[in-house]
Every structure is written in structure tokens, then in C-alpha cells.
Amino acid sequence: MSSKQPPSQSNHESGQPEKLWGGRFSEDTDTFVEAFTASVTFDQRMAKQDIRGSLAHAAMLEKTGVLTADEALAIRQGLENIRQEIAEGRFEWSVALEDVHMNIEARLTDDIGLAGKKLHTGRSRNDQVATDIRLYLRDCCTDIERELKRLLEGYLELASRHTDVIMPGFTHLQTAQPVTFGHHIMAWFEMGMRDLDRLQDTLKRLDACPLGSAALAGTGFPIDREMTAELLGFSSVCANSLDAVADRDFAIEFCSFASMTMMHLSRIAEELILWTSAQFRFVELPDRYCTGSSIMPQKKNPDVAELVRGKTGRCYGNLMNLLTLMKGQPLTYNKDNQEDKEPLFDTIDTLLQSLRAFADMTSALVPNTDSMYASAREGFSTATDLADYLVEKGMPFRDAHAVVGKAVAICTEQERYLDDLSLEELRAMSDLIDNDVYHVLTLEGSVARRNHIGGTAPECVRAAIDKARVRLASAT
Ligand code: ARG
């Protein structure tokens, strides 16, 4: 075979589809290189968005007179057929055609001829792919936002059912002070609300259309960038063509939001893992969210929570991957950017599944109120309340701290609770103590007194839930 043979011929001879960019090449792409450089195996999941982008581009070219009405119609019908075939799984993807964009374009040209070849006028795969990823990510964010909101609604329901349930609050995983279960769940809610806010913020910067930037410098053809942006539901066009085709910061920002959300889920997962253990027995997870052991018949493992905790690592990895991918890349598009998709897609899938699993699982949590209450009595959780009581009676806080410290030491030695001490014993430590001290030493008294905004008192948690419902409903 002569090395000067046109590629179309040699490709046809080798049974391969013709390369859309083959004009200047004099030999076939090495088979390994072809597979190595292809992205169609993973970017075909953006096919719907690619077709949407092409439809908008064609409509715009028709309006500006680059395409005739007949050509535009043929393109519309051709793309519609292709969309159908892809949806039904009948479309044959070819690695030789490299990516989703060229697979669809080549097929369109096969089907409708000349008009298909004109679709790429005033466009490049560089602005095409930058548009497709944005469209794809935006579509996925709709699902993610829905699942995140479902999770948050679940927290609100769970919290509102248990505003009066008392449990130990922890610092250093040591019993600190009694809190209400509803209050604890509302802490999860606050974490998730900030995640939702971050997601919505990410979407703002995603909301600009790269189409019209072409390869990098824009195009000499008459185009109407506002029209394509509007057809695709973007509220603006990217202001600089070089930046539009080059940057993937929106994907990094999404992965950062996702990492943060997964970090929060992993913390909640860890609590569920602890709380369902025989040592804590704070909550019961329905059997349908747990699995058993093949050897130990008694086991009921919180696998879903553990997997979410584990999958968090994958999302952090994907974020690092993208940051490193972008680092040091000169303007504008470089093939490196083809590597943006797999980590982004993996993050989308992981986050969506984790949110779904959590929304289902957490709303079905059943607290074991007796265990929580009993546990809150351990560890002298009302010691601070006794110190505060002495302060209210006129003792400086440092002295009160020391007096209560002694009381705790006595109780530890004698294996008693603070409220087991008789008034006489208590008065021996400080004569400021009176009968009203017993109200202070109870768990109910302790939580009820913390009745300010953000406090754990049941009435405050109920007020916080009411406000939260309004906040969530208006977070659109
Ligand atoms: N498959 C490519 C990607 O994902 C599309 C853009 C290719 N552009 C190019 N000039 N090679 O980035």
C-alpha cells in the first residue's frame, strides 16, 4: 500500500469507518492508538445532550442563513432517528469514530448525506464537548438535588417525631451533656442544607453556554450565540472563547460539592454504625438496609452505611484527579481534558446512589429511646448543670467546677449517679445546695434549660424544625 494513499480509501479497505478528520493523513491510525485515544466507550452517555446541542446549533445556522430550511429539516429528522435508536439500544457505536460527537455526526451524514456534512459549520468538538458536559452535569444535578431534598425532608420528619427523646451528646466520643435526638438529627439537616446551597451555587457558574467558541478563537460564520444558549436553557453565553473551551472548573466545583456532601454522609454513616452496634444500641435499622454474615448467624451489618463511608474516598480521589488534570494546562483545549469525564461521571453516580440509599434508610430509622436515655445517665452528663447551679447561687465558676469534680470522684468510686447523692451529702460539698438541685440534675431539666436559638430544649428544636421546613421549601 502506498504511503500516500488517501485515508478514506485505506480506511475503507481495512473495513474501518472513514475518519472525519482524515484529510491530511496518509496512513491509518494504529489500532492500539485508536482505542487508546477514543472516548466513545464512556462519553456515549452524553448522547442525548450531544443531540440537543446539535439541534440548537442547526436551528441557529438555519436562522442565520448558513443552512437552508430543507437542510435544517433533514438534520432535525436525522438526529431524531438517531436519538430513537440510541434510546432503544440499537445504535452501533464505533471506537474508530473516537467519540460520541463523531459517531453521531458520521451516522447523520450516512443517513442524510450532504446536509449532515454541513452541521459542523461554525462549530468544533471543543465547544461541542464543553457544552455537552455542562448540559449533562446540569441534568444530573436535577436528580441529585431531588435526592438531597428528599434526604433533608426525611431528617425533618425523623427529628419532628423525636423532639423529646433524650440521648447523650458527645465530645471526644465521651459522654458530654444530654441532648435531644431531634436536635442531633437537625444537626445533620444543617450539614445537608449547606450542601444543597453549595450545589445550587455550583449550578450558577455552570449556567453559561460555550457554543460559538468553536475550536478556540470563535468563528467567521454568522452565528447567534444568544439563540443557542437560550434554546439549551443557559441564561448566558461564555464571555471568552478561549476560556469556554479550556476550563473544566465547573466539574471540579461539582466534585468539590460532592466530596463535601459525601464527607457529611460518611460522618452520619459512622454514627449509624456506632449507634447500631450492640455496645450502643441507640437505633435500629430496618432489616432491608442491612446484610448478614455467612459464618456468624447473629450478625446484622450496617453495610449501606459502611459503603457510603467507603465510597467517600472515591469521590475525594476523583476531585484530586480533576484538580491535577487541570493543573498546568496551557490554554486552550488539550486532549488531557478528555480525562475529565470518567471521574466526573463516577462522582455523579456515587453521590446519587449514596443520597438515595441514605434518604431511604435514615427516614426508616427507629430510635431505641430506653437505651439512649440510660446511656445519657452514664458519664455524669449533668455535671455541668450542677456547676451552673452553684454559679447561679453565687459561687465563682472555677470553684463550682472544683466542687462538682469532687462530687464526680465520689460517685465514680461508689458507682453512683450524681442524683443518687442525698441532700446531706451534697450540702457537705457546698452549703449553697438546696432541694431544688434535683431538678437541675435530671436529664429533662438539663435539656429544657438550653432553650435559646440553636439550643437542645425540645421547644427550641420544634421551633427550629418549623423554620427549617420553610427554609427547605424556599431553597429552589
Ligand atoms: N473526545 C474529546 C473530549 O472528550 C472531544 C474533543 C476533542 N477535540 C479535539 N480537538 N481533539 O475531550
Side-chain angles (χ1 to χ4, degrees), residues 35 58 76 78 96 148 166 190 220 228 248 284 312 320 354-355 470:
R76 267 201 302 284
L148 182 51
I166 293 178
E190 292 302 329
T228 37
R248 297 291 183 264
E284 204 46 56
T312 305
M320 274 309 131
S354 302
L355 285 171
V470 178

Side-chain angles (χ1 to χ4, degrees), residues 20 39-40 43 46 50 54 93 97-107 120 123-126 128-130 132-133 341:
L20 300 188
S39 54
V40 68
D43 67 13
M46 305 191 304
D50 193 70
S54 289
W93 298 100
L97 287 168
E98 204 176 315
D99 56 25
V100 61
H101 324 292
M102 290 200 291
N103 266 266
I104 291 174
E105 192 191 323
R107 177 57 197 282
H120 213 51
R123 181 176 80 168
S124 151
R125 275 185 298 152
N126 294 353
Q128 194 177 355
V129 70
D132 289 3
I133 310 169
K341 290 168 203 65

Side-chain angles (χ1 to χ4, degrees), residues 59-318:
M60 183 276 291
L61 291 181
E62 181 187 358
K63 192 202 133 200
T64 60
V66 175
L67 292 177
T68 66
D70 284 348
E71 287 166 341
L73 178 66
I75 289 173
R76 267 201 302 284
Q77 288 171 342
L79 286 173
E80 197 41 60
N81 286 339
I82 294 173
R83 190 207 314 260
Q84 196 82 30
E85 268 187 37
I86 293 172
E88 289 164 12
R90 287 185 290 118
F91 190 89
E92 272 186 36
W93 298 100
S94 156
V95 169
L97 287 168
E98 204 176 315
D99 56 25
V100 61
H101 324 292
M102 290 200 291
N103 266 266
I104 291 174
E105 192 191 323
R107 177 57 197 282
L108 183 70
T109 301
D110 278 353
D111 287 355
I112 67 166
L114 195 65
K117 289 191 186 173
K118 293 190 177 180
L119 172 63
H120 213 51
T121 314
R123 181 176 80 168
S124 151
R125 275 185 298 152
N126 294 353
D127 60 344
Q128 194 177 355
V129 70
T131 305
D132 289 3
I133 310 169
R134 282 170 163 86
L135 289 174
Y136 182 81
L137 181 54
R138 202 181 59 188
D139 287 348
C140 294
C141 284
T142 308
D143 296 335
I144 287 169
E145 185 167 335
R146 189 195 57 238
E147 287 305 303
L148 182 51
K149 283 183 172 166
R150 198 162 70 81
L151 174 68
L152 292 170
E153 278 156 18
Y155 290 161
L156 288 180
E157 285 316 304
L158 183 64
S160 64
R161 285 197 295 274
H162 305 293
T163 49
D164 294 84
V165 170
I166 293 178
M167 65 181 286
F170 299 93
T171 60
H172 313 269
L173 202 55
Q174 309 287 320
T175 299
Q177 292 179 330
V179 295
T180 50
F181 184 63
H183 193 52
H184 194 109
I185 302 304
M186 287 306 287
W188 295 354
F189 175 86
E190 292 302 329
M191 290 142 78
M193 272 305 273
R194 289 194 298 278
D195 294 329
L196 178 61
D197 195 42
R198 270 184 282 271
L199 171 63
Q200 292 174 340
D201 206 46
T202 302
L203 282 166
K204 277 188 221 155
R205 275 175 293 278
L206 186 77
D207 191 17
C209 185
L211 273 187
S213 303
L216 74 162
T219 173
F221 289 102
I223 54 167
D224 182 344
R225 295 195 61 200
E226 263 115 12
M227 179 179 168
T228 37
E230 202 187 317
L231 286 174
L232 293 171
F234 288 107
S235 55
S236 67
V237 298
C238 294
N240 180 291
S241 65
L242 307 178
D243 172 51
V245 297
D247 213 337
R248 297 291 183 264
D249 57 352
F250 58 88
I252 297 176
E253 214 176 318
F254 171 81
C255 285
S256 161
F257 141 76
S259 294
M260 198 91 86
T261 306
M262 290 295 291
M263 177 272 288
H264 281 148
L265 292 186
S266 80
R267 298 187 68 183
I268 297 166
E270 174 64 15
E271 295 195 320
L272 293 177
I273 293 160
L274 283 171
W275 290 358
T276 50
S277 70
Q279 288 68 25
F280 275 76
R281 295 203 320 98
F282 280 8
V283 295
E284 204 46 56
L285 280 175
D287 285 359
R288 62 184 181 281
Y289 300 118
C290 299
T291 59
S293 156
S294 55
I295 175 171
M296 296 168 283
Q298 86 283 11
K299 291 297 287 286
K300 174 174 160 184
N301 296 327
D303 284 28
V304 172
E306 288 173 299
L307 266 177
V308 168
R309 185 178 59 181
K311 283 176 188 290
T312 305
R314 206 195 241 276
C315 289
Y316 291 4
N318 291 337

Side-chain angles (χ1 to χ4, degrees), residues 333-345:
Y333 175 86
N334 303 285
K335 186 75 168 177
D336 312 42
N337 279 358
Q338 182 164 289
E339 287 287 305
D340 62 355
K341 290 168 203 65
E342 288 161 295
L344 178 64
F345 295 162

